[in-house]
Amino acid sequence: MPARLSSMELSDPITPPASSSPNDTTRRKSGRVRHNPVLLNHDPNASIGSYNSGKRKRADTLDQAQVNGSMGEETSSNEEDGDPDDEEMKEKRRKTRYKKPSEKPAAKKPKTAKPKSTTLPVRPAVNGVRKPPKPRRPRTQVNAAISDEEAGLFAELFAQGHTVEGVAAEWITRYNEHNANAMCELINFVLKCTGCDLKVDMHDIEDPDNAASKLDDLHQEYVSKNITDYPLISRNKAYSSFRPTVTGFFFALISTAHAAGVLYTDLALIENIEVWVSTMSSAAIRPFRHTATVISLAMESGLCSVYSSLVDSTAKTVRQMEGEQKKKTVNKERIASLQKKIAEEERRSGSVNDMMENIFNAVYVHRYRDVDPRIRVDCVTALGGWITTAPDKYFTPAYLRYLGWVLSDTSAPTRAEVVKQLSKLYKRKEDVARLRAFTEKFSPRFVEMAIRDAEPNIRAAVIGMLDLIRDTGLLEPNDIDSIGRLIFDSEQKVRKAVAGFFAKNINDSYDAVIEDLGGEEGMAEDIGEEDPDDFDMPRRAWLKFKCLAENLQSYSSQEGDDEGTTPTLPETIGVLPGSVVESRFALAAQAVYGGVSEVQDWEVLAGYLLYDNSPATSNGNASESPETLFRKSCLLNEFEEMLLLEVLKEAVKQRLLEAVETEIDKKGKKSKIRSGEVREIQESIALHLAQVIPRLLRKFGTNPTTAAVVLQLEHVLNLEIFEELRQDSTTYASLLDDINKQFLTHVDEGVLAVASNAILHARSYEDLEEVTEGKIQELWSDTISTLRLHVTSKKSEETTDLVGLCNTISRISHLASVADCIGVFESEDRSSFKMSNTASAISPAKILTELIQNEYADVDEEEKEQRDEIITGSIKSLLFYHMWIVRSLKNSLATHTPTLKLPDWDSFASALLSLVQSRSGTDPVRLAATGAYLDVHILFASLKAITNDANHQSTRQITTPPNKQSQHRSSADEVRSSLVRPITREAQSLILTIFVAAEKQHARRSRRKLEAASDDAIDSAPEDPESEIEDNEDEDEDTTSEQVRTHQLLAEKQLCELAGKMVLAVLGHVFDDEGQKVRQRLLRNKMRLGPNFKEILAYLDEPKAKSKAKPKPKPKAPKAKVGDPVKAKAKSAKKAKSKEVVEVSSEEESDGEEEDDPLGAELADDRIEDVEEDDEEKRHEKDVDDDEIMGD
């Protein structure tokens, strides 16, 4: 011990130096000479156990011995020497001072090695089972009551911060000590997870045969408590981690039982859990059934992981044994041990396999078709995970069929989940052979889901899965064509999803063509080197464009369109231009742009379309050179040209859109560097288009279909850049000349509509306004001259060119929709005709009005259609003419410009009313005239709010002389009194009769029942027998379902258009609705004729919603008439002045109280809010607000 003590003293770095006393020197010197310092790693007494807590006790004992030994030596020395001298006293004080520091190294020893407890018999260590890493999620307390739990697995998992592996290990330890208590605790935990506080006791656990009856009792108690929610589906944030915690616990429980060997030594463990959980999974109440199913699936997942690890371990051991047997000197003992290990692992894997089979048959087989779709989704997700984890067990047709059966599930989330799991399986290229039989059986269902599923997301997911199946070579050619045809689908998500699939079809066709032409090397020799800047030279990309056009044409012809047999919807009167409905070819081209990379080089495509390929057709078979074969392969027909023009148009639009999107960075801000790049792209596209469009029009302008597509390219042409680059104005003028030529030479409605929009696009740039207006005037001159010529020939001859007149009026209506036609329609041109010719002296407006009034009888069907088109076009043209008039009046009143002449629209209204009276039933022309009659009244009724605002503005003009102010107010009053007129009683009755007829027609065709009619005058009006006969004839004919659907949509469209215009007339007080009889009649069948009709009539209830939506001032006004918000802000000191101003304008206010316009008030809202300068302004705001509320 002294030697040990001496060594410890020497190892102390803070031991004081030796004393000069001879006695002390002798004692300390002998200590240093005899013993050298002993290091810890060289100490034979040191062991692994010295790193644990026992080391700390030994160190404390040694330190105490050192102190005691030194104290003993000092005492004996002091006794021998007698009384200490001064030096000895100093030495004692030094030793006393350094006693405590000498104990610090012993206190630091625990830091060198963390003590570990070895008392637990089972730890959650993996024994050959390597689980995939899972992200650690922070534990959250489920609710406040859990923190008060004194014991139980539920409290340990959710309230005490333990990990699931630790809780599982502790439960296994308790199970080894007393299995009944631990099992009771586990079953109570499962019951707690269902959301109830019911428990089982020891007697129930010891009698597993009585588990079903016990659960029935618990079921009754649970139902009596009326629990509607349970943790597994709760939306409470406290339960956000509930599912992963519970499933993770049971997964860890299986893994820990496997590592401890309890899973194999005590088979009753899984059997007892299975008895209770499987019985709960078949319970009638959803909380029991859902929770038990999730727990069973988690246990099965844990068993799959164990089974997979055992299979891998067995295979590894077999390889080791085989390697050992191949050695020259065989170690028989090692081989025997390996054989024993293999037998043990096979025994264990067999036991796990039996457990998996039991759980699968007891739970999954029944719950994968549960009535609750959430349980079905959980089952599908679990099975997909089992197949991935244990493919040797579950990747077989016996288990894959369960996924195939769920493909027909009624729940969309379930179908989406099974498609997701199957997509994961098809991505495993090494296991594709196992899916062959499954794919052959269920591929028809895959294709059916991709084509007809109700959810676009599921259809897109199935298309992605079919793309994976195609890569494996398991998809039939017919199925490939069926999926490729979806490029024309109406859903954008489906088209986007099928773009890649469709691109592979094009690549397959391209490879076949290249192979026929001699391969890539032969093509390179025939074509030569491609110049990237010369887009008019042949390229290999042209062949891909040809394959693209062929595929689009093939799939388009297979769509089975019956355009000639299905009725088309007539054009709506009064629809403003500016929006062109994209064809299905354009929608397909948008999807193709993202799938075929060659389409993104739109300049190459434009060069291909402009290439003159006529020599390839003229040579015939005279010379079959490689160049001729290439040209023949690139030859396009008319339909393919139209398709590629659509692709070209969409490619240009998408390229510009991509350029604009790249200008904005991730933070949503524009970058200066990117803005410069985007500007360069836009300039290059604009310059190239300006050169390409005229060439395309010269080549494809004769065909109406291709001409309409080329004209749409002008819509994306940025004319502002065209002007900034200082291009020659003749280039722009020639472009407009080409557009005018297409407008004057074509009679197709599609071409006229697109050309009108091109003219409207050109008018939107002020810098080019002079050139554009000149071209528009040329168009007006040509069309009006042609109209006068047709009218003159009609009066002079018996036969009239109805086709030419119809086409001319159609051009006038389209041109009037984009250009001001007031001066043109009111002009009386006498320069081109003789003065005696009265037809030439009549204005175009009067000519069109006369065409509306011309009736006909005893004509054939073809002539009847042409005359109806003439009348419809005249109505549309005159309606646009009156729209321009109202726009001009509004501008004049807003700028205080005196109105030279007020229009007279009585003749137009009278012509429309006479036309309505001459027709019967729901004739399309009659409905068009009725709608125009309502439109023109509503149009001029909108001037009421403008006149109110004009009077207000004139009063505000302080610098304007009083005589000018009164003159402007009288002009505004004159506009109101002369142009704003209500619909007459006779016309109202006629319109209501037409509405009733349209209502009955829609109800009859859509198989809906109307509310019983009352005895009022509206419902007692006689029906038109002809319309009923027509409907019966339509029903008796052999019509297809598509045609029936078209008739239904047509009837609904007619009813909704008429009802919408009647609602506007009622709200604008154009309909004199005394006693609200008209309103009540409109609302009678609101809930019976479909959602569109219901939403239109909902505007009749709008005043209540408006009053709530209007911004109210913060300080609420006291009781005041008509609820003026501005008056609440007025101060008491200014009341007298306000009263004087109100008295001055009392006459105007009284004029506005008789009839007011809420629609016009809405237009005037923005002009009312920005005035808070003086009391006079506030007073006028009060006047306008009074009219607005009274109008409501």
Side-chain angles (χ1 to χ4, degrees):
M1 190 65 183
R4 190 73 175 171
L5 180 61
S6 175
S7 65
M8 293 300 294
E9 288 177 352
L10 289 173
S11 64
D12 192 352
I14 57 175
T15 304
S19 175
S20 60
S21 174
N23 296 331
D24 295 338
T25 303
T26 303
R27 179 173 55 81
R28 293 180 178 277
K29 183 177 181 181
S30 62
R32 290 192 180 92
V33 171
R34 291 176 183 174
H35 298 283
N36 293 324
V38 180
L39 299 177
L40 182 62
N41 56 353
H42 293 160
D43 189 358
N45 297 323
S47 63
I48 298 176
S50 63
Y51 289 96
N52 58 12
S53 59
K55 172 68 178 176
R56 183 183 303 173
K57 295 180 181 179
R58 180 175 179 83
D60 295 341
T61 306
L62 289 175
D63 293 340
Q64 188 65 29
Q66 290 176 358
V67 176
N68 295 335
S70 62
M71 292 286 290
E73 289 180 0
E74 290 174 2
T75 304
S76 60
S77 176
N78 290 337
E79 290 176 353
E80 293 175 358
D81 297 338
D83 295 333
D85 55 6
D86 295 335
E87 292 296 328
E88 291 176 348
M89 294 297 295
K90 291 180 181 180
E91 186 67 15
K92 289 181 180 180
R93 285 194 294 270
R94 285 195 198 98
K95 290 183 178 182
T96 305
R97 189 179 336 102
Y98 286 105
K99 279 180 184 179
K100 292 183 179 179
S102 64
E103 296 177 359
K104 288 184 179 179
K108 293 182 180 179
K109 286 180 181 178
K111 295 183 180 180
T112 59
K114 186 176 180 181
K116 294 183 179 179
S117 176
T118 58
T119 58
L120 288 177
V122 180
R123 23 177 113 164
V126 291
N127 186 13
V129 182
R130 186 176 297 276
K131 297 186 296 184
K134 295 183 179 179
R136 298 286 184 180
R137 299 185 65 179
R139 296 292 178 229
T140 57
Q141 294 185 358
V142 180
N143 53 43
I146 297 176
S147 301
D148 300 333
E149 292 282 343
E150 297 180 356
L153 290 175
F154 202 81
E156 293 178 8
L157 280 174
F158 297 102
Q160 298 179 5
H162 298 307
T163 61
V164 292
E165 291 83 1
V167 175
E170 293 177 1
W171 186 86
I172 291 293
T173 304
R174 294 196 296 270
Y175 181 83
N176 290 331
E177 294 174 356
H178 197 290
N179 53 12
N181 287 336
M183 186 60 63
C184 181
E185 183 183 15
L186 182 64
I187 301 304
N188 287 330
F189 167 71
V190 175
L191 292 172
K192 184 70 176 177
C193 291
T194 63
C196 68
D197 296 329
L198 305 176
K199 294 183 180 181
V200 297
D201 54 18
M202 288 285 297
H203 300 288
D204 299 324
I205 298 299
E206 292 173 355
D207 186 12
D209 297 334
N210 196 33
S213 60
K214 179 61 179 177
L215 288 175
D216 288 340
D217 298 338
L218 296 177
H219 175 203
Q220 299 298 331
E221 295 182 21
Y222 190 92
V223 172
S224 63
K225 294 183 178 181
N226 295 326
I227 300 175
T228 58
D229 195 11
Y230 55 101
L232 204 59
I233 64 169
S234 178
R235 295 184 179 180
N236 191 346
K237 293 183 179 179
Y239 291 97
S240 59
S241 62
F242 181 82
R243 177 188 287 265
T245 302
V246 173
T247 55
F249 167 72
F250 280 95
F251 189 94
L253 183 65
I254 299 297
S255 301
T256 307
H258 159 69
V262 182
L263 190 64
Y264 313 103
T265 59
D266 190 357
L267 299 178
L269 170 63
I270 300 299
E271 292 179 359
N272 289 330
I273 298 176
E274 182 186 347
V275 166
W276 289 92
V277 176
S278 62
T279 305
M280 291 179 62
S281 66
S282 301
I285 54 175
R286 189 166 301 176
F288 275 27
R289 192 172 67 251
H290 192 186
T291 305
T293 301
V294 170
I295 291 173
S296 298
L297 298 177
M299 292 176 60
E300 186 82 351
S301 299
L303 291 173
C304 284
S305 180
V306 172
Y307 181 83
S308 178
S309 65
L310 288 173
V311 171
D312 294 341
S313 178
T314 303
K316 182 178 180 181
T317 307
V318 169
R319 289 193 298 269
Q320 290 177 355
M321 186 181 67
E322 292 175 352
E324 190 67 27
Q325 290 175 347
K326 292 179 182 179
K327 292 181 179 179
K328 293 182 179 180
T329 57
V330 179
N331 190 343
K332 295 182 179 181
E333 293 182 358
R334 177 169 175 75
I335 291 177
S337 64
L338 291 175
Q339 290 177 347
K340 183 178 180 181
K341 183 179 179 181
I342 291 173
E344 178 63 21
E345 289 177 346
E346 289 178 349
R347 183 186 68 83
R348 291 190 170 190
S349 61
S351 300
V352 174
N353 183 49
D354 294 339
M355 298 175 190
M356 294 162 60
E357 287 286 347
N358 293 335
I359 295 178
F360 187 88
N361 295 329
V363 179
Y364 187 90
V365 171
H366 303 287
R367 298 281 70 79
Y368 86 96
R369 51 187 178 180
D370 193 275
V371 68
D372 188 357
R374 286 172 292 197
I375 297 178
R376 301 199 297 268
V377 170
D378 291 337
C379 291
V380 171
T381 306
L383 181 56
W386 302 342
I387 295 174
T388 305
T389 305
D392 296 335
K393 168 68 177 175
Y394 287 104
F395 212 145
T396 60
Y399 293 100
L400 288 172
R401 60 180 181 173
Y402 289 97
L403 295 178
W405 292 337
V406 181
L407 289 170
S408 301
D409 197 281
T410 57
S411 174
T414 307
R415 297 197 305 273
E417 184 62 28
V418 71
V419 172
K420 177 182 177 182
Q421 297 300 327
L422 287 174
S423 299
K424 292 181 181 179
L425 298 181
Y426 280 108
K427 289 179 181 178
R428 297 165 60 97
K429 303 299 182 182
E430 65 277 6
D431 295 326
V432 169
R434 300 181 178 184
L435 291 166
R436 182 176 297 275
F438 174 80
T439 305
E440 292 177 356
K441 183 176 180 180
F442 290 100
S443 58
R445 176 56 185 162
F446 294 157
V447 177
E448 184 182 8
M449 292 179 67
I451 297 175
R452 297 186 179 89
D453 198 279
E455 297 294 331
N457 294 331
I458 296 179
R459 296 178 64 191
V462 174
I463 291 171
M465 183 181 68
L466 287 171
D467 198 2
L468 297 173
I469 298 175
R470 177 182 181 169
D471 295 339
T472 62
L474 300 178
L475 199 60
E476 297 295 331
N478 293 335
D479 296 337
I480 292 176
D481 292 336
S482 299
I483 301 304
R485 213 171 292 131
L486 295 177
I487 197 69
F488 293 103
D489 196 84
S490 58
E491 291 289 343
Q492 182 181 5
K493 290 183 179 179
V494 177
R495 296 195 304 270
K496 186 176 180 181
V498 84
F501 191 97
F502 181 77
K504 291 181 180 179
N505 294 353
I506 298 172
N507 293 333
D508 293 342
S509 302
Y510 174 77
D511 294 339
V513 173
I514 290 294
E515 186 177 355
D516 294 339
L517 295 177
E520 291 284 351
E521 296 179 358
M523 287 292 303
E525 294 177 359
D526 298 337
I527 298 176
E529 186 177 359
E530 298 178 357
D531 187 0
D533 297 328
D534 190 0
F535 302 113
D536 295 332
M537 294 301 295
R539 298 167 179 259
R540 280 174 289 183
W542 290 8
L543 289 175
K544 185 159 286 190
F545 294 144
K546 171 64 176 179
C547 295
L548 169 62
E550 288 178 347
N551 279 270
L552 287 174
Q553 183 181 12
S554 174
Y555 292 149
S556 173
S557 61
Q558 295 174 6
E559 287 292 315
D561 295 336
D562 298 328
E563 296 180 357
T565 57
T566 56
T568 57
L569 301 179
E571 186 178 3
T572 303
I573 300 299
V575 175
L576 293 176
S579 60
V580 178
V581 179
E582 296 285 357
S583 65
R584 62 193 186 98
F585 304 112
L587 298 178
Q590 293 177 6
V592 167
Y593 180 83
V596 184
S597 58
E598 287 79 5
V599 175
Q600 299 177 7
D601 298 330
W602 65 272
E603 297 92 345
V604 179
L605 179 56
Y608 175 46
L609 289 169
L610 291 171
Y611 185 72
D612 185 11
N613 211 1
S614 55
T617 58
S618 60
N619 290 337
N621 295 326
S623 60
E624 294 293 339
S625 63
E627 183 179 358
T628 304
L629 291 175
F630 176 79
R631 288 187 175 183
K632 283 188 175 181
S633 301
C634 296
L635 191 62
L636 298 171
N637 57 36
E638 291 185 1
F639 193 79
E640 290 174 348
E641 289 175 346
M642 184 272 296
L643 291 174
L644 290 183
L645 283 172
E646 290 281 4
V647 174
L648 174 63
K649 178 195 67 175
E650 295 300 327
V652 175
K653 290 169 62 177
Q654 294 295 326
R655 185 68 186 94
L656 289 172
L657 184 61
E658 288 179 355
V660 174
E661 290 177 351
T662 56
E663 186 179 4
I664 302 175
D665 56 12
K666 295 181 179 179
K667 297 181 179 179
K669 298 180 180 179
K670 290 186 177 181
S671 173
K672 294 183 179 180
I673 300 176
R674 293 180 180 177
S675 298
E677 298 175 356
V678 170
R679 193 67 176 178
E680 292 178 0
I681 294 174
Q682 292 176 343
E683 291 176 359
S684 63
I685 292 176
L687 293 177
H688 198 76
L689 277 180
Q691 300 173 0
V692 167
I693 290 176
R695 296 174 60 189
L696 290 173
L697 286 175
R698 284 193 293 270
K699 184 175 181 180
F700 302 105
T702 56
N703 188 350
T705 306
T706 55
V709 180
V710 175
L711 286 173
Q712 292 183 39
L713 283 173
E714 195 272 343
H715 301 171
V716 299
L717 181 61
N718 193 339
L719 299 178
E720 183 180 356
I721 294 178
F722 194 84
E723 178 67 18
E724 289 179 358
L725 295 178
R726 303 299 180 187
Q727 296 292 318
D728 189 4
S729 61
T730 57
T731 305
Y732 175 68
S734 63
L735 179 62
L736 290 179
D737 287 335
D738 292 333
I739 296 174
N740 290 356
K741 180 181 178 181
Q742 298 297 322
F743 186 85
L744 294 173
T745 56
H746 285 284
V747 297
D748 184 75
E749 286 292 330
V751 179
L752 295 177
V754 175
S756 302
N757 288 334
I759 296 172
L760 182 63
H761 177 254
R763 292 188 68 228
S764 61
Y765 296 93
E766 296 180 358
D767 296 336
L768 304 172
E769 184 177 2
E770 183 178 354
V771 179
T772 306
E773 291 298 332
K775 299 300 178 182
I776 292 176
Q777 291 302 320
E778 293 179 4
L779 283 178
W780 276 125
S781 177
D782 293 338
T783 53
I784 296 301
S785 299
T786 306
L787 174 65
R788 294 182 186 277
L789 182 64
H790 283 296
V791 172
T792 303
S793 63
K794 180 180 178 181
K795 291 188 176 182
S796 60
E797 302 176 3
E798 293 182 359
T799 60
T800 305
D801 184 10
L802 296 179
V803 177
L805 179 60
C806 179
N807 296 334
T808 302
I809 292 177
S810 178
R811 293 191 185 97
I812 291 175
S813 63
H814 282 91
L815 192 57
S817 66
V818 297
D820 191 351
C821 59
I822 298 177
V824 178
F825 274 36
E826 295 178 353
S827 64
E828 298 180 356
D829 187 13
R830 299 176 180 269
S831 59
S832 301
F833 300 92
K834 295 180 179 181
M835 294 298 296
S836 59
N837 192 350
T838 57
S840 62
I842 302 176
S843 64
K846 292 183 179 179
I847 294 176
L848 295 175
T849 305
E850 291 179 357
L851 290 176
I852 296 175
Q853 295 175 342
N854 289 338
E855 280 301 320
Y856 53 88
D858 299 333
V859 295
D860 57 4
E861 191 68 24
E862 183 178 358
E863 183 178 351
K864 179 182 177 182
E865 292 181 359
Q866 294 174 355
R867 290 183 180 274
D868 286 347
E869 290 180 4
I870 292 173
I871 295 174
T872 304
S874 301
I875 293 173
K876 185 177 179 180
S877 302
L878 289 174
L879 188 59
F880 282 123
Y881 163 65
H882 288 90
M883 288 181 181
W884 287 108
I885 289 176
V886 172
R887 180 175 180 269
S888 176
L889 288 173
K890 290 181 179 180
N891 294 336
S892 299
L893 294 174
T895 57
H896 311 298
T897 303
T899 305
L900 299 178
K901 179 183 177 182
L902 294 179
D904 182 15
W905 55 278
D906 285 338
S907 58
F908 178 49
S910 300
L912 291 174
L913 189 59
S914 62
L915 179 62
V916 172
Q917 292 172 345
S918 63
R919 298 297 179 106
S920 61
T922 56
D923 182 77
V925 177
R926 189 187 195 194
L927 291 175
T930 305
Y933 186 80
L934 290 169
D935 284 338
V936 72
H937 281 82
I938 297 170
L939 186 65
F940 284 98
S942 65
L943 291 172
K944 288 191 292 185
I946 302 299
T947 54
N948 287 339
D949 189 43
N951 291 334
H952 169 45
Q953 295 289 343
S954 64
T955 308
R956 289 181 55 192
Q957 298 294 330
I958 306 299
T959 58
T960 305
N963 57 347
K964 295 282 186 74
Q965 294 181 13
S966 60
Q967 180 182 359
H968 187 67
R969 276 199 300 272
S970 61
S971 175
D973 293 338
E974 184 181 358
V975 169
R976 169 186 282 189
S977 60
S978 301
L979 300 180
V980 180
R981 304 166 193 168
I983 299 177
T984 62
R985 293 285 185 179
E986 180 184 359
Q988 289 184 24
S989 177
L990 185 60
I991 293 172
L992 286 172
T993 304
I994 298 173
F995 171 76
V996 172
E999 197 177 46
K1000 291 181 179 179
Q1001 175 182 272
H1002 173 48
R1004 187 182 302 113
R1005 289 185 175 179
S1006 60
R1007 304 295 190 271
R1008 301 174 186 269
K1009 291 184 178 181
L1010 298 176
E1011 189 174 341
S1014 60
D1015 296 333
D1016 55 10
I1018 298 175
D1019 293 315
S1020 59
E1023 293 189 30
D1024 293 316
E1026 296 181 1
S1027 62
E1028 187 173 356
I1029 293 173
E1030 292 176 359
D1031 293 337
N1032 293 332
E1033 290 178 355
D1034 293 339
E1035 293 175 1
D1036 294 339
E1037 292 177 357
D1038 296 332
T1039 56
T1040 62
S1041 59
E1042 189 68 24
Q1043 291 174 337
V1044 172
R1045 179 62 178 165
T1046 303
H1047 285 298
Q1048 293 175 358
L1049 293 176
L1050 177 60
E1052 183 179 11
K1053 175 177 177 289
Q1054 292 174 347
L1055 175 63
C1056 290
E1057 286 184 352
L1058 181 59
K1061 294 177 181 181
M1062 292 178 67
V1063 167
L1064 288 177
V1066 171
L1067 294 177
H1069 298 281
V1070 177
F1071 246 97
D1072 187 9
D1073 191 11
E1074 292 184 0
Q1076 296 189 347
K1077 291 184 179 180
V1078 176
R1079 186 187 299 258
Q1080 294 174 2
R1081 180 61 188 86
L1082 289 173
L1083 295 174
R1084 175 184 297 175
N1085 297 296
K1086 176 181 177 181
M1087 309 301 295
R1088 295 174 177 265
L1089 294 177
N1092 295 327
F1093 186 69
K1094 174 185 173 182
E1095 291 298 324
I1096 291 173
L1097 296 184
Y1099 283 92
L1100 292 176
D1101 303 330
E1102 191 65 19
K1104 294 181 180 178
K1106 277 185 178 181
S1107 61
K1108 294 181 181 179
K1110 275 190 176 182
K1112 298 284 185 180
K1114 291 182 179 179
K1116 291 188 177 181
K1119 271 192 173 180
K1121 56 181 179 180
V1122 298
D1124 181 17
V1126 180
K1127 189 174 180 180
K1129 299 180 180 179
K1131 296 183 179 180
S1132 57
K1134 299 180 179 180
K1135 285 184 178 179
K1137 184 177 179 180
S1138 298
K1139 288 181 181 179
E1140 294 176 0
V1141 178
V1142 172
E1143 289 175 0
V1144 171
S1145 59
S1146 59
E1147 296 180 358
E1148 302 173 8
E1149 191 174 15
S1150 62
D1151 293 337
E1153 288 178 356
E1154 294 180 359
E1155 53 182 10
D1156 213 336
D1157 178 26
L1159 300 176
E1162 291 180 9
L1163 298 176
D1165 280 343
D1166 295 336
R1167 289 183 288 273
I1168 296 174
E1169 294 177 354
D1170 59 348
V1171 284
E1172 284 189 7
E1173 298 176 0
D1174 52 15
D1175 295 327
E1176 188 175 2
E1177 294 172 357
K1178 293 181 180 180
R1179 187 262 305 171
H1180 286 290
E1181 288 180 3
K1182 173 185 181 304
D1183 294 341
V1184 177
D1185 280 344
D1186 287 347
D1187 293 336
E1188 188 175 335
I1189 295 172
M1190 291 174 66
D1192 291 342

